[in-house]
Amino acid sequence: MPASLTPTATAQPASSTPPSAEPALTNAELVQLRVRVIALENMVIALLANAPPSQQALAREMADYISPRPGYTPHAVTIHAADQMRSLVDRADRFQPAHLS
């Protein structure tokens, strides 16, 4: 694995509340979360559009890294996340200055 994608250990604070005891999100909170995700996706696309090829390659490499490896159980959500990462880079290609002429 490339050094750029080597995971690092980070301390996670212990949660005093079990996940099942947390209140469910309201509809308004879910809508706000969806809006924020859309905004973040568009921000990532804008940043990748002006990123050097090495940065775009790193994003694709990360998508490959989270994709299931031989011998491991594939998880649909992880596969979808990797596909979405590749899609963001592909969508950013359309907005690169060379493509806007």
Side-chain angles (χ1 to χ4, degrees):
M1 174 177 5
S4 60
L5 294 181
T6 304
T8 57
T10 56
Q12 297 292 324
S15 175
S16 60
T17 307
S20 60
E22 294 176 7
L25 293 174
T26 66
N27 189 55
E29 289 169 325
L30 288 172
V31 169
Q32 183 62 31
L33 185 60
R34 184 174 291 159
V35 168
R36 287 178 175 179
V37 168
I38 292 168
L40 285 170
E41 282 183 351
N42 287 311
M43 184 65 69
V44 168
I45 291 168
L47 293 171
L48 285 171
N50 285 321
S54 61
Q55 190 70 42
Q56 292 184 352
L58 181 63
R60 290 183 195 280
E61 189 177 335
M62 187 61 182
D64 292 340
Y65 175 74
I66 69 168
S67 295
R69 291 173 292 287
Y72 290 86
T73 304
H75 296 282
V77 174
T78 303
I79 292 168
H80 189 65
D83 289 343
Q84 288 295 316
M85 291 171 69
R86 289 183 198 96
S87 174
L88 289 171
V89 179
D90 292 343
R91 289 161 56 195
D93 283 345
R94 295 183 219 147
F95 294 99
Q96 288 184 342
H99 293 114
L100 295 178
S101 47

